[in-house]
Amino acid sequence: MISKIPDKVLDKEVSLLPTMKLISTYLILILLINLPQSANAQKLPGDTSIILDKAIELLADTVSEFIHIKEIHINGNKKTKAYIINREIQFNTDDSIRRTSLRAQMEQARSQVYNTNLFTDVKFTSVLTSFNEVEIFVDVKERWYIYPSPRFQLIDRNFSEWIKVHNADLERVTYGAKYTQYNLSGRRDVLNINILTGYSRNLSFSYLQPFSNKKLTEGFSVSGSFLQNREIPFAVDSNNRFKLFRNGDFVRQSSGAAIAYISRKGYFRSHVFSFGIQTLSLKDKAFSDVNSTDYFHKNTSSVVFPDFQYGYQYSNTNNVNYPLTGRIYGTRVLKRGLGFTGGLNLLQLDAYRNSYDAYGKGWFGVLSTVGMIKLPFDQAFLNRRAIGFGGLFLRGLDSYVVDGVAAAVAKYTIRKKVLAFNMKVPIKNRFLQKIPFTFYAKTFADGGYAYNKSIYQSPLNNKLLYTGGVGIDMITFYDLVIGVDYSFNQLGEKGLFLRVQGGF
């Protein structure tokens, strides 16, 4: 006969469960923390780190809701100052955060450090040193920062225009040398020097220092350029392509300089105030006599004008070069010239928003919108660029330009991750041990509209434009994105388009 256990005894055993859970978890932690390991705690085996994370979760019901960050260790930074990395981490030594959000906080910080574009790899590891304390280890692998390289550039807007409109004419290229030094002083600053010749001549430099104060919240940039062109667009024809003027010699010369003040007090929001001054002169008298009135909106062959700009951006994504999740939005105000009518005087307002969402099982969506308006509506040719430039483009209309003083574009893309692998680099080096390859298949649909005054109207102005298609993107080392699209447009045209962005 089995005797019944008294209810009072059961109550006592149930009440002991939290204490037993605490003691068992404590014993596991003692065992883990004292596992044989090297002098560097960050070299704990990966499985151990996972078990420690699980232990943190087990303790959530029996100890404090918050956990104290005892110390943050940074390893692998040879050039980059440690405080530049710490600046992108939203928690500090001696902070206390909810233990249930520790993993999410670490992943957010990892994305923020990676999005500096200073590293090829960033890893965050947590090591529990007691019930209520944790140490964070940040391991980074730096990129190669110095890029002296030969340059081979197209003067056309994109590969499609060069191939389809100009039959890949090798004379329509600019060549020379470019020197870029990323992370020049270890403070995420960038120096650029270009010396190019060929179809165009270009001498330019720029220096960006995003963190010039002790609080690492303010920065600046300076730039200067000198450019000569052998051909210039001066109108849009009945096929929505540029009419070009050339005579075998350099027909336009420009030079300019600009300075900017940058404010970024948090992690996601930035403000940029800039001022620049530029000179433009037309060197061919025949062209300037006939076309300068529309080109500059005044009867002259040379102009000098200032540009005042303010830009605001919010950017919070998992990867700034090829986002899969997050948001980017912003606005820009440009004032060109000192007046409000005539000449190159212009007031331009831009706004944009990109939303990146994960749908699960390797599916991702992107919705991009951008709009622009230019005042007054009566603008010089130089100020009338709209669809086909910057973010105002439709995939499938790459070969066309649509002038306008007001424009809007919306694009939707669905991506599916289909393949990912690494290729080992045969030459041993500390910067790149393997080359990653990730492939995303995609389908997309774009729509847009550009308004222009009737005297400047072309076939694609003042009407709804739409395109669609499918494609594949390959992301490789340094977040270089190479895309191939097969797209169609409302004109009934179909074709392949190559797109390259990012990288070094």
Side-chain angles (χ1 to χ4, degrees), residues 38 122 215 253 318 404 438 440 490:
S38 64
V122 177
K215 293 183 178 180
Q253 180 174 298
N318 69 311
T438 306
Y440 289 87
Q490 68 191 68

Side-chain angles (χ1 to χ4, degrees), residues 401-462:
V401 293
V402 187
D403 279 358
V405 290
V409 166
K411 297 183 284 189
Y412 183 65
T413 306
I414 296 179
R415 302 168 176 165
K416 176 67 168 73
K417 186 177 181 180
V418 293
L419 180 65
F421 61 90
N422 295 317
M423 182 180 295
K424 188 175 181 180
V425 176
I427 302 174
K428 188 175 182 180
N429 65 91
R430 71 182 182 90
F431 294 100
L432 192 66
Q433 288 77 43
K434 59 186 179 181
I435 300 177
F437 292 92
T438 306
F439 294 85
Y440 289 87
K442 64 184 179 182
T443 182
F444 56 85
D446 300 351
Y449 186 95
Y451 167 77
N452 212 352
K453 295 186 67 174
S454 59
I455 59 173
Y456 305 120
Q457 187 170 335
S458 61
L460 297 181
N461 280 120
N462 305 334

Side-chain angles (χ1 to χ4, degrees), residues 337-354:
L338 298 175
F340 290 93
T341 60
L344 291 179
N345 290 302
L346 165 73
L347 176 62
Q348 179 173 332
L349 307 176
D350 302 287
Y352 58 91
R353 179 182 175 84
N354 299 330

Side-chain angles (χ1 to χ4, degrees), residues 26-47:
Y26 176 76
L27 292 174
I28 294 173
L29 288 173
I30 292 298
L31 175 63
L32 290 172
I33 293 173
N34 290 279
L35 281 174
Q37 53 182 291
S38 64
N40 296 323
Q42 71 273 19
K43 293 186 178 179
L44 279 167
D47 290 344

Side-chain angles (χ1 to χ4, degrees), residues 147-178:
Y147 293 96
S149 60
R151 304 299 292 176
F152 181 89
Q153 295 181 344
L154 307 178
I155 67 163
D156 300 301
R157 294 175 305 114
N158 50 56
F159 279 101
S160 297
E161 183 177 277
W162 180 58
I163 294 171
K164 295 186 177 182
V165 178
H166 300 288
N167 299 315
D169 186 355
L170 291 177
E171 290 188 359
R172 299 180 60 80
V173 300
T174 297
Y175 54 88
K178 177 183 178 181

Side-chain angles (χ1 to χ4, degrees), residues 24 32 57 78 95 105-107 151 153 197 265 279 304 307 324 384 447 479:
S24 61
L32 290 172
E57 295 176 5
K78 308 296 183 182
D95 281 355
Q105 291 278 354
M106 288 170 58
E107 180 55 31
R151 304 299 292 176
Q153 295 181 344
T197 188
K265 295 184 178 180
T279 65
V304 180
D307 276 349
L324 296 175
R384 294 201 298 264
D479 290 331

